[in-house]
Amino acid sequence: MNRLRQSLQSGKLQLFVSLPANDAKLAEAAVREGADGLKVHLNVAHRASGNSFGSLESYKETFAEIRSLFRGPLGVVPGGSAADVSREEIAALPEAGFDFFSIYAWHLPTFMLEAQGLARTFAIDDKFDLRLLEAAGAFGIDALEASVVPGAEYGTPLTLADLLKYRWLAERSGLPVIVPTQRKVTPDDVPHLIGCGVKALLVGAVSIGSTAESIGRSASRFREAIDKAGG
């Protein structure tokens, strides 16, 4: 079974880390402190970290090193628009050690639905028509990334309104829900996310910073909170 599918079916909240840079030292810090999975980026300017990312070929050795660090799910955002996504790169992802792709629905070109050896996840934002989620299962989608916080509100505290959205998506979408830390999610928020039925918490720059030290420290705290809550 694909590593992502297996992870999301584990029955315990999974801790995924979205790396602010494609850097094996950052990945090592996250994995050492308990990350279950990692996500990296290609061909995109990333809002939360402020970084820009290049092609698959430019990170070939780095990704091989990251893959060697752990056995959990390794995912990638393959582009910042449909035009940025390369058919050749998508075909090469499994051999490079990737288990899944993650990309906004309107950035996902149809040829990606034919990709072999990859679990399929897509993201939605605060303006997405939630009624369309009922059709996702017909396209073999494996998980939903709930990127539903408006960009102007990045880094603000998690609220009840957010939990209501996450719970609704977990109950109604028919898909395992991954929550990225667009808000400044803290370890104290973990029990509430578990209560919403979320399958994975994807912590990124907003909540964990951008250095190996801050990533390791934050991952450790989230790991402790998840284990204490019983996941």
Side-chain angles (χ1 to χ4, degrees):
M1 179 184 293
N2 179 278
R3 289 185 181 100
L4 178 71
R5 299 185 189 112
Q6 187 173 22
S7 178
L8 297 179
Q9 292 174 15
S10 70
K12 185 174 184 178
L13 180 68
Q14 299 295 286
L15 177 61
F16 291 179
V17 174
S18 177
L19 297 179
N22 294 338
D23 185 325
K25 291 182 179 179
L26 302 184
E28 183 179 16
V31 170
R32 183 180 65 245
E33 299 300 336
D36 297 301
L38 299 175
K39 186 175 82 169
V40 297
H41 299 76
L42 296 173
N43 309 309
V44 64
H46 189 242
R47 179 200 293 264
S49 69
N51 288 335
S52 294
F53 298 87
S55 67
L56 179 63
E57 182 63 28
S58 63
Y59 299 112
K60 188 174 182 179
E61 293 182 4
T62 297
F63 290 157
E65 186 175 356
I66 291 174
R67 178 70 280 178
S68 73
L69 294 172
F70 77 123
R71 296 174 179 249
L74 177 60
V76 62
V77 178
S81 73
D84 292 329
V85 180
S86 160
R87 186 185 294 266
E88 291 73 22
E89 285 190 343
I90 296 300
L93 290 176
E95 186 176 351
F98 288 97
D99 304 293
F100 70 99
F101 60 71
S102 177
I103 188 170
Y104 279 107
W106 48 93
H107 294 165
L108 197 162
T110 56
F111 70 78
M112 287 179 65
L113 297 173
E114 303 164 12
Q116 300 297 309
L118 295 168
R120 305 165 182 174
T121 82
F122 73 92
I124 60 172
D125 70 1
D126 59 305
K127 300 178 179 64
F128 190 83
D129 184 346
L130 299 181
R131 294 172 296 179
L132 299 179
L133 292 175
E134 297 178 5
F139 295 94
I141 301 299
D142 293 287
L144 170 68
E145 185 174 325
S147 301
V148 293
V149 174
E153 298 178 24
Y154 277 23
T156 57
L158 193 71
T159 68
L160 173 61
D162 301 313
L163 296 179
L164 292 172
K165 290 178 184 177
Y166 299 148
R167 189 178 186 93
W168 190 96
L169 289 168
E171 292 179 349
R172 302 289 188 87
S173 70
L175 297 169
V177 173
I178 300 169
V179 169
T181 57
Q182 298 169 299
R183 300 286 188 193
K184 193 169 179 59
V185 176
T186 72
D188 290 339
D189 294 317
V190 163
H192 300 294
L193 294 171
I194 292 173
C196 289
V198 170
K199 297 300 183 183
L201 174 62
L202 176 64
V203 295
V206 168
S207 286
I208 64 173
S210 58
T211 67
E213 181 182 3
S214 68
I215 290 170
R217 182 173 60 248
S218 298
S220 176
R221 291 172 178 170
F222 278 107
R223 177 81 271 157
E224 181 180 3
I226 290 171
D227 292 344
K228 183 178 179 180

